[in-house]
Amino acid sequence: MRARPRKEPWATTKIASPTQEEPARLALSRHSALEANIMRIHFLAAPAFPYPTSRGTIKLRFHGFDFVWAVISPVLAFYLSDANRLNAGQIEKTILLYSSVALVASVIALLIFKVHEGVERYFSVYDALAVGKAVVVAELVTCVVLFNVMRLEGIPRSMPIIHALILGAGIVFARMATRTSAIAQHPPHNGGAIREHILMIGANSLSVLYIKFLQLSPSPSHDVIALLDSRKEMFGRAIEGVRVVGAPEHLESLIAEYTVHGIEIGRILVAGEPKSLSPEQLNEIMTICEKRQIFLDFMPQMRGLREFHPGAAEPVVETFLCKPVTPSVYFRWKRGGDFLVALLMIIVLMPILLGVSLCVLVDLGAPVLFWQLRLGINGSRFLLYKFRTLRPPFDWRGNPIPADKRLSKVGRILRDTSLDELPQLLNILVGNMSLIGPRPLLPEDQPANPTVRLMVRPGITGWAQVNGGKHLTPSEKDQLDECYVKNANFWVDLKVALYTAKILFMRRRSGESAADLREIASRNMGARKI
């Protein structure tokens, strides 16, 4: 029996979900959509979810180690560069001038790109991207200023590059070391359990208390991923690390967009009585919850969240750890090789990464990256990144954009060449993924028993991908992934890498080309054994 909030405010509503999403009735204006992107803070109880694609950008602050390293790195770079041709007087003058300009430029860039905001234990791809952007901008500003002051005379040509590498590597290494140490001392608890995602309406004292309660819970099963508030001055602010992303009127469009990112909203929680909302707002929220099979609760009448039971198709990793399968010993040292290869590829491909980022920024605007929630090793959740190829599902007025018009021209090229997958090198760098392994799946797309595939880090490409990919059934993919986990070695990974390179040259991402289909058929990919 369904109870409506007007009659029993403490009741929960949930009915069958619709077969087709309704268009959003309202959306943020252009101005407030930009304001809603200003703050990004890590949520300590769960991964900090970035803004939905349509609401993605800059805020200022700082970190002590970064300042010290910004002072030291120019001096180290100078002595590691070709500076022996300068006399003593030139060396002192050059070091002082370069270090001063570089320090100011580095501090400003680190502030602008919010490098300070990351919590070392939760060092993520977004943190690594922020470091990279700050270093590149700092070095460009340094070179421009020094060129105008002294035409870069007396400064070795290799010095800016060496300085950028030292500055970026030092900041990243310090955070990775802290993260590794923290995780070793306090392993993440219950990381693979499915959690219910909550959108909270109202930014007030009740919101603060409830978010703190969830953060301090030893076995969290619920995440408050975003706040909605009617006050425009709250847009872009954060409470206990949870962002205010819009107004209650934007609820439906936000639910739809979070779904695109792999986040299914399971509950709407109002931080107040029903009378705290206008009759129009309350009726709209109730209608949306009824249509989308979402629970609706009002905090003052709650004594605690009702027990959350994941659906049968949703994987709870702890219940599956019973199948006697032992991964190949190759995985014990594979992580080190992945890190080195990914770091080398990022350095070599940096011009391409920057060029693609610029093209996406011009074509689609900020943000340039698309994210989705995926399951990784041992069922731990992480955010997988790609370059954006699609326009947001809703325009700034809240009107839905037809699916056939969302793929941009730049996005089509990126998909055809698989360049949209390059940001996953950062996922490898921070330890979420591997170069070769089972492809990471959305939580709801996991097979009935995902134990074996979740024993290892997911990969950018894998044995199933070069043996049929999308033409395989889920069970066939699962069998190939399990075969890889048990038999992986260096030569298998090399074979997968070569097959992947061959397929990339023979197909188009928008749909398997005839050449690719012939290749799959000729090799009988689906039945191939390691």
Side-chain angles (χ1 to χ4, degrees):
M1 180 176 180
R2 187 181 310 134
R4 297 181 69 84
R6 288 182 185 273
K7 298 178 180 179
E8 295 180 318
W10 58 87
T12 297
T13 64
K14 188 171 186 179
I15 68 170
S17 59
T19 57
Q20 185 174 3
E21 295 178 352
E22 294 285 338
R25 300 187 181 182
L26 293 171
L28 288 172
S29 66
R30 291 184 185 273
H31 177 66
S32 56
L34 292 174
E35 286 183 337
N37 298 313
I38 298 189
M39 179 171 282
R40 185 180 62 83
I41 299 178
H42 282 268
F43 183 24
L44 299 180
F49 297 107
Y51 285 108
T53 301
S54 63
R55 303 163 195 256
T57 145
I58 295 178
K59 186 194 155 195
L60 312 175
R61 268 172 34 216
F62 210 68
H63 194 289
F65 172 82
D66 298 344
F67 180 81
V68 174
W69 193 245
V71 173
I72 296 174
S73 58
V75 180
L76 293 177
F78 189 83
Y79 285 104
L80 289 175
S81 61
D82 185 21
N84 53 11
R85 56 188 176 86
L86 302 177
N87 58 47
Q90 287 179 309
I91 289 178
E92 293 178 0
K93 180 180 177 181
T94 304
I95 289 180
L96 180 60
L97 183 59
Y98 186 91
S99 299
S100 301
V101 175
L103 174 61
V104 173
S106 298
V107 168
I108 293 175
L110 292 173
L111 284 171
I112 291 175
F113 289 101
K114 304 176 293 184
V115 174
H116 63 281
E117 285 190 354
V119 178
E120 286 82 355
R121 175 182 170 87
Y122 303 98
F123 186 65
S124 65
V125 169
Y126 256 96
D127 299 318
L129 277 173
V131 172
K133 290 185 285 188
V135 168
V136 171
V137 170
E139 212 57 49
L140 289 175
V141 171
T142 300
C143 291
V144 170
V145 172
L146 291 177
F147 180 80
N148 287 301
V149 172
M150 54 181 295
R151 302 299 182 190
L152 295 176
E153 292 181 5
I155 298 177
R157 294 182 179 180
S158 59
M159 187 169 175
I161 297 176
I162 294 175
H163 175 231
L165 292 176
I166 292 176
L167 179 62
I171 295 175
V172 170
F173 179 80
R175 283 159 170 73
M176 286 297 297
T178 305
R179 178 179 186 267
T180 302
S181 175
I183 291 176
Q185 294 177 15
H186 305 285
H189 181 76
N190 201 24
I194 294 298
R195 300 181 184 181
E196 184 179 55
H197 300 123
I198 300 171
L199 274 179
M200 184 176 289
I201 297 177
N204 53 36
S205 299
L206 283 176
S207 305
V208 174
L209 290 174
Y210 200 82
I211 293 169
K212 283 185 175 180
F213 166 74
L214 291 183
Q215 290 177 348
L216 296 174
S217 176
S219 300
S221 59
H222 302 79
D223 286 339
V224 178
I225 65 169
L227 286 162
L228 303 180
D229 196 275
S230 298
R231 295 167 291 174
K232 290 185 177 181
E233 63 270 20
M234 293 299 296
F235 294 176
R237 307 293 294 277
I239 293 179
E240 294 295 323
V242 181
R243 306 176 180 98
V244 179
V245 299
E249 290 81 3
H250 312 136
L251 178 62
E252 187 165 20
S253 62
L254 284 167
I255 292 174
E257 194 162 3
Y258 273 117
T259 300
V260 173
H261 288 290
I263 305 295
E264 293 291 340
I265 304 300
R267 192 179 300 267
I268 304 300
L269 183 58
V270 180
E273 299 280 2
K275 63 183 180 182
S276 64
L277 301 171
S278 67
E280 294 78 13
Q281 288 178 329
L282 182 59
N283 184 66
E284 180 74 9
I285 292 170
M286 290 169 50
T287 302
I288 293 171
C289 290
E290 289 176 349
K291 288 192 303 182
R292 291 183 172 274
Q293 194 182 358
I294 295 175
F295 289 115
L296 173 61
D297 280 305
F298 296 86
M299 196 177 300
Q301 284 75 38
M302 294 177 63
R303 296 295 182 267
L305 284 175
R306 295 163 178 81
E307 186 176 0
F308 171 57
H309 297 286
E314 296 174 304
V316 180
V317 176
E318 300 95 308
T319 63
F320 291 123
L321 299 180
C322 55
K323 191 173 181 178
V325 174
T326 302
S328 168
V329 295
Y330 170 65
F331 292 103
R332 296 178 183 176
W333 60 271
K334 187 172 185 283
R335 166 63 187 148
D338 285 332
F339 180 87
L340 294 176
V341 173
L343 182 61
L344 179 62
M345 290 181 68
I346 289 174
I347 294 173
V348 173
L349 298 175
M350 184 60 68
I352 296 178
L353 289 168
L354 294 176
V356 172
S357 299
L358 181 61
C359 291
V360 173
L361 185 63
V362 172
D363 186 37
L364 295 173
V368 299
L369 293 182
F370 171 81
W371 58 271
Q372 270 191 334
L373 184 70
R374 302 293 177 99
L375 292 184
I377 186 170
N378 297 324
S380 60
R381 302 183 306 162
F382 73 97
L383 300 181
L384 177 142
Y385 294 92
K386 298 182 179 183
F387 281 119
R388 279 182 63 200
T389 57
L390 298 176
R391 297 179 177 86
F394 298 91
D395 63 21
W396 68 277
R397 295 186 182 90
N399 300 318
I401 298 177
D404 58 348
K405 295 183 179 180
R406 291 187 60 198
L407 183 62
S408 69
K409 293 181 180 179
V410 171
R412 188 180 303 278
I413 296 173
L414 294 182
R415 290 192 173 196
D416 287 344
T417 58
S418 291
L419 289 175
D420 61 321
E421 308 281 353
L422 286 181
Q424 289 166 47
L425 292 173
L426 295 171
N427 282 115
I428 296 174
L429 205 61
V430 301
N432 299 139
M433 293 180 63
S434 174
L435 288 168
I436 311 295
R439 280 296 291 167
L441 302 176
L442 291 165
E444 62 269 21
D445 292 336
Q446 296 291 329
N449 187 341
T451 305
V452 177
R453 70 184 334 273
L454 295 180
M455 286 181 174
V456 300
R457 288 181 175 83
I460 291 181
T461 184
W463 189 245
Q465 278 60 52
V466 299
N467 282 277
K470 65 173 67 175
H471 301 287
L472 300 176
T473 65
S475 61
E476 289 173 334
K477 289 182 181 179
D478 194 41
Q479 291 176 5
L480 290 170
D481 287 336
E482 181 175 332
C483 184
Y484 171 79
V485 171
K486 293 188 291 186
N487 299 283
N489 57 55
F490 173 78
W491 300 111
V492 170
D493 278 1
L494 181 61
K495 186 186 300 184
V496 171
L498 294 176
Y499 282 154
T500 300
K502 184 177 180 180
I503 291 173
L504 287 177
F505 281 107
M506 296 181 63
R507 72 179 177 90
R508 296 178 179 177
R509 277 288 303 276
S510 56
E512 297 289 346
S513 66
D516 189 24
L517 293 173
R518 287 195 299 270
E519 173 70 8
I520 292 172
S522 65
R523 289 170 51 199
N524 191 19
M525 295 292 194
R528 192 179 181 91
K529 302 293 184 181
I530 292 181

